RNA sequence: CGGGGCGUGGCGCAGUCUGGCAGCGCGCCUGCUUUGGGAGCAGGAAGUCGGAGGUUCAAAUCCUCUCGCCCCGACCA
């Protein structure tokens, strides 16, 4: 690792973005690779972040009537087979449990024994097993809607993993609802999409585009898939949450029926929606800089760290008392209906201690030394500003101002990310310009290039596939807030009625 | 799963071509001196050189096999 270099993280984003991503996670103590292929260990600093994300989402879900429940990790193979498209979508990445016992093998090691009659699939998602429950819970239209969420881990046996963005096991929430009408189910699908957008924009400070997926990007078995899409600092798109209208496909597969008011039996209309630890990857790539991650205050693992500065033992005692009292007072301050999260780092490691917290992305660093005690003040550094850009504030004023300062940081991060996205979002109507936009000037390694292109698409899967083959660019979504507009397809030139978002994607 | 690259103390790396005591920087531990922007000096701990097998008097280095990681591609949240 570079010491006393220009930046705390090496390489920089510019030099090697994927490697920067790995290094920044390592340097921030968010997570690390594990002994198990493709799986990660989420360390306390990262898990606290996830807990805050969970807390925010969970409250929003519950405010719309959703209840939490828990379903088994194991899914009978036969359940997965019930929905044809669904099987096809997930079959390749399923982990399968075939045995239930270990025995001593001939060479002293343990070998699986006790073959299961029916193999169990480790859930890649839970539509089928939850559908099984729904089929028994629902008999009348009076039982509907049913609005369930579970916080769980899922396993998808990925060929290529990237920490937080695509791991074989990941943590997520999956919501599953059943309704008496298609309209109500669609309304729920879009409502949950809105909640994901709110989480991203208000809590993670990540501007997103809400949209509908093209048929080829749809969830296996869904009638319609919606997503929120966000631009990372390498200008690739990251899908940070998805919401699916499943029509009656899964109801049919799982036998979820109800008797309507006219005494007729009908299949229910279902939805599912999910968001995962992948959002943490998005957070890192949206806000991180060459000195580490930058945590938005609303979800930050901690809001402020107090850094006592002292020479003698006598000074240390005084400074520690001052810091301890300050910490207690700060913990009584409410920030968005919760106490401030405060840490004290009393390590006697000089300036290196500062850099640790910069790399960890904590919003506020509060230095407290003898000088501050004399002046009844604190010396404040902000992660959204330069590392040496610090100000002295009177103690009482600081305590009163913290929520406002945190909100200002939150806003700055959002504005910065939005400005970045705007700078690399382009409306393109000519094919050559489109190809040039998505082609790097350097072949190996390619520099950071491209972005989001709003272009017309005729709706043909052939055009979509051609652009993907030629450029590695896909349709991220068909934006919901854009109205119809006549134009010609960026690929084939045929008539088109709307613009879609093209980008390279994670 | 195909192509490329890389595995050497916690992190970053040199050493491999041309076999000969396992090294460097940072971090860590102890002591002293320091301290408002990555402190200095002295001492110290920490490695089955990814793993297995082979060649050799001798292997981090050569050969065979294998595992893992990273990048690109296909697939996916």
């Amino acid at each position: 690792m570079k010491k006393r270099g220009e930046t705390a993280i090496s390489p920089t984003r510019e030099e090697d973005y994927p490697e920067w991503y790995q290094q920044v996670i390592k340097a921030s103590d968010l997570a690390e690779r594990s002994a198990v292929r493709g799986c990660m260990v989420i360390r306390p600093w990262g898990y606290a972040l996830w807990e805050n994300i969970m807390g925010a989402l969970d409250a929003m879900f519950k405010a719309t009537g959703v209840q939490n429940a828990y379903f088994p990790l194991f899914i009978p193979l036969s359940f997965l087979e019930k929905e044809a498209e669904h099987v096809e979508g997930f079959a390749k990445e399923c982990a399968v449990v075939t045995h239930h016992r270990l025995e001593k093998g001939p060479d002293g090691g343990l070998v699986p024994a006790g073959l299961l009659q029916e193999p169990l699939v480790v859930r890649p998602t839970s539509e089928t097993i939850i559908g099984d429950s729904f089929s028994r819970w629902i008999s009348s239209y009076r039982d509907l809607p049913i609005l369930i969420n579970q916080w769980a881990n899922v396993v998808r046996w990925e060929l290529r993993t990237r920490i937080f963005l695509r791991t074989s096991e990941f943590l997520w929430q999956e919501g599953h609802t059943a309704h008496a009408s298609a309209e109500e189910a669609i309304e729920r699908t879009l409502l949950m999409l809105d909640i994901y957008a709110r989480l991203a924009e208000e809590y993670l400070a990540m501007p997103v585009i809400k949209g509908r997926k093209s048929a080829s990007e749809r969830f296996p078995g869904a009638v319609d898939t919606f997503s929120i899409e966000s631009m990372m600092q390498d200008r690739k798109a990251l899908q940070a949450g998805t919401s699916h209208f499943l029509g009656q496909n899964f109801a049919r597969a799982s036998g979820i029926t109800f008797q309507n008011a006219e005494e007729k039996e009908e299949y229910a209309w279902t939805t599912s929606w999910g968001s995962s630890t992948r959002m943490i990857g998005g957070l890192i790539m949206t806000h991180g800089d060459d000195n580490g991650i930058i945590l938005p205050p609303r979800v930050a693992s901690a809001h402020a760290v107090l850094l006592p500065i002292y020479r003698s033992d006598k000074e240390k005692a005084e400074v520690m008392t001052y810091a301890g009292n300050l910490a207690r007072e700060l913990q009584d301050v409410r920030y968005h209906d919760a106490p401030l999260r405060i840490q004290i780092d009393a390590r006697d490691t000089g300036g290196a201690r500062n850099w640790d917290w910069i790399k960890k992305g904590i919003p506020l660093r509060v230095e407290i030394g003898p000088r501050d005690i004399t002046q009844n003040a604190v010396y404040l550094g902000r992660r959204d500003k330069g590392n040496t850009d610090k100000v002295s504030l009177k103690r009482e004023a600081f305590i009163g101002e913290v929520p406002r300062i945190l909100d200002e940081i939150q806003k700055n991060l959002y504005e910065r990310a939005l400005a970045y996205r705007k700078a690399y979002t382009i409306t393109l109507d000519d094919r050559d310009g489109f190809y040039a936009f998505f082609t790097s000037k350097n072949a190996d390694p390619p520099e950071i290039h491209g972005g989001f292109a709003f272009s017309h698409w005729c709706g043909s899967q052939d055009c979509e596939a051609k652009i993907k083959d030629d450029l590695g660019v896909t349709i991220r979504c068909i934006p919901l807030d854009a109205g119809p507009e006549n134009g010609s397809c960026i690929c084939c030139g045929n008539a088109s009625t709307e613009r879609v978002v093209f980008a390279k994607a994670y």
Side-chain angles (χ1 to χ4, degrees):
Chain A
M1 195 182 297
K2 199 185 285 181
K3 170 74 175 172
R4 284 187 200 87
E6 300 274 315
T7 61
I9 304 299
S10 169
T12 62
R13 290 162 292 178
E14 185 76 31
E15 287 164 353
D16 186 344
Y17 197 84
E19 184 60 20
W20 166 84
Y21 179 74
Q22 304 289 130
Q23 293 302 331
V24 92
I25 287 170
K26 204 174 282 181
S28 63
D29 292 338
L30 284 180
E32 61 192 22
R33 306 213 136 270
S34 74
V36 184
R37 180 198 170 94
C39 296
M40 63 180 162
V41 173
I42 304 176
R43 301 184 60 181
W45 191 246
Y47 200 78
L49 178 59
W50 178 238
E51 285 178 309
N52 294 332
I53 292 170
M54 282 196 283
L57 262 183
D58 206 56
M60 287 193 277
F61 291 161
K62 285 174 180 161
T64 71
V66 173
Q67 294 182 297
N68 284 334
Y70 187 78
F71 297 85
L73 171 68
F74 301 119
I75 298 178
L77 195 57
S78 56
F79 277 32
L80 212 67
E81 287 166 343
K82 287 177 180 175
E83 215 288 335
E85 278 187 52
H86 192 64
V87 195
E88 202 177 324
F90 285 106
K92 277 174 292 188
E93 49 192 39
C94 284
V96 186
V97 178
T98 53
H99 294 75
H100 67 92
R101 195 168 64 237
L102 290 171
E103 286 175 353
K104 272 236 170 65
D107 53 1
L110 292 169
V111 294
L115 190 66
L116 294 177
Q117 284 196 335
E118 180 182 3
L120 294 169
V121 176
V122 181
R123 63 178 164 223
T125 178
S126 304
E127 272 75 7
T128 58
I129 192 120
I130 292 179
D132 178 63
S133 285
F134 279 12
S135 72
R136 282 176 284 104
W137 293 354
I138 298 163
S139 53
S140 151
Y141 69 97
R142 295 182 212 273
D143 297 325
L144 296 172
I146 186 157
L147 310 172
I148 293 294
N149 176 64
Q150 83 165 340
W151 290 97
N153 59 336
V154 284
V155 168
R156 295 180 190 175
W157 211 261
E158 297 290 346
L159 299 174
R160 184 179 164 193
T161 58
R162 276 152 129 352
I163 198 157
F164 283 125
L165 295 174
R166 178 167 296 105
T167 44
S168 291
E169 179 193 19
F170 56 96
L171 305 185
W172 78 344
Q173 59 66 217
E174 49 179 321
H176 297 268
T177 69
H179 305 263
S181 71
E183 294 70 31
E184 191 185 299
I186 291 168
E187 192 184 339
R188 170 57 58 170
T189 307
L190 293 172
L191 175 63
M192 301 326 279
L193 187 72
D194 281 338
I195 285 179
Y196 290 143
R198 270 188 62 198
L199 178 83
E201 301 198 326
E202 292 176 24
Y203 291 84
L204 307 180
M206 289 167 59
V208 295
I209 296 173
K210 290 187 286 184
R212 180 192 307 265
K213 285 294 193 182
S214 68
S216 67
E217 299 266 338
R218 213 176 269 155
F219 177 76
V223 170
D224 223 340
T225 288
F226 300 87
S227 71
I228 53 171
E229 301 284 333
S230 182
M231 186 190 286
M232 304 292 103
Q233 290 180 82
D234 60 356
R235 303 185 210 159
K236 287 190 187 173
L238 182 83
Q239 175 178 308
T242 51
S243 190
H244 317 289
F245 169 54
L246 304 174
Q248 293 174 306
N249 294 348
F250 283 87
R252 217 172 280 122
S254 297
I256 307 172
T257 57
F258 67 97
Q259 205 168 28
N260 66 21
E262 287 81 46
E263 303 186 319
K264 284 205 185 104
E265 190 179 46
E266 277 188 58
Y267 285 115
W269 302 82
T270 65
T271 79
S272 69
W273 23 278
S275 63
S276 72
T277 40
R278 176 178 232 210
M279 285 187 295
I280 295 176
L283 192 69
I284 294 163
M285 290 198 293
T286 299
H287 303 302
D289 65 14
D290 295 334
N291 288 324
I293 60 168
I294 301 182
L295 297 175
R298 295 292 301 273
V299 293
S301 314
H303 293 119
V305 61
L306 308 188
L307 303 169
I309 292 162
Y310 49 84
R311 298 161 202 249
S312 60
D313 284 349
K314 179 169 168 289
E315 271 186 0
K316 178 173 181 179
E318 287 170 4
V319 168
M320 288 305 293
T321 303
Y322 188 88
N325 289 336
L326 179 62
R328 270 189 295 281
E329 281 185 61
L330 286 169
Q331 279 158 352
D332 284 338
V333 174
R334 309 284 291 181
Y335 177 62
H336 291 276
D337 296 327
L340 284 177
R341 301 184 279 273
I342 307 297
Q343 301 222 353
I344 299 182
D345 183 353
R347 286 179 300 160
D348 181 16
T349 54
R353 186 178 55 171
N354 268 298
W355 283 97
D356 283 348
W357 291 100
I358 290 169
K359 286 184 277 194
K360 288 163 90 79
I362 200 163
L364 301 176
R365 302 185 308 282
V366 185
E367 293 176 24
I368 297 161
R371 212 147 66 201
D372 302 298
I373 296 179
T374 313
Q375 298 168 3
N376 199 36
V378 300
Y379 205 52
L380 177 72
R382 293 167 47 153
R383 188 61 178 86
D384 65 331
K385 298 201 167 179
N387 295 337
T388 54
D389 184 359
K390 289 185 288 197
V391 294
S392 182
L393 293 175
K394 286 292 178 193
R395 187 178 183 280
E396 297 314 315
F398 169 66
I399 293 170
E401 285 285 279
V402 168
R404 191 193 59 75
I405 295 170
L406 290 175
D407 275 344
E408 192 178 300
I409 294 173
Q410 183 82 24
K411 184 162 172 284
N412 283 350
L413 294 179
Y414 180 82
E415 296 295 338
R416 199 189 288 178
L418 184 62
Y420 189 87
R421 190 184 79 190
K422 281 183 176 164
Y424 299 106
T425 297
I426 185 171
T427 300
L428 278 170
D429 289 317
D430 72 298
R431 190 182 159 125
D432 289 348
F434 186 90
Y435 272 65
F437 182 65
F438 286 115
T439 304
S440 65
K441 292 183 175 57
N442 302 327
D444 188 33
E447 79 284 1
I448 292 172
H449 67 282
F452 287 3
F454 280 71
S455 297
H456 275 280
W457 173 54
C458 64
S460 123
Q461 293 211 11
D462 290 345
C463 287
E464 192 181 11
K466 172 153 181 55
I467 286 170
K468 186 175 180 182
D469 284 351
D470 288 354
L471 298 168
V473 167
T474 50
I475 296 170
R476 297 326 306 153
C477 70
I478 305 157
L480 291 181
D481 59 3
E485 180 194 296
N486 288 320
S488 54
C489 179
I490 197 75
C491 183
C492 67
N494 288 344
S496 154
T497 56
E498 58 192 355
R499 288 184 185 275
V500 305
V501 182
F502 285 96
K504 290 183 182 170
Y506 276 97

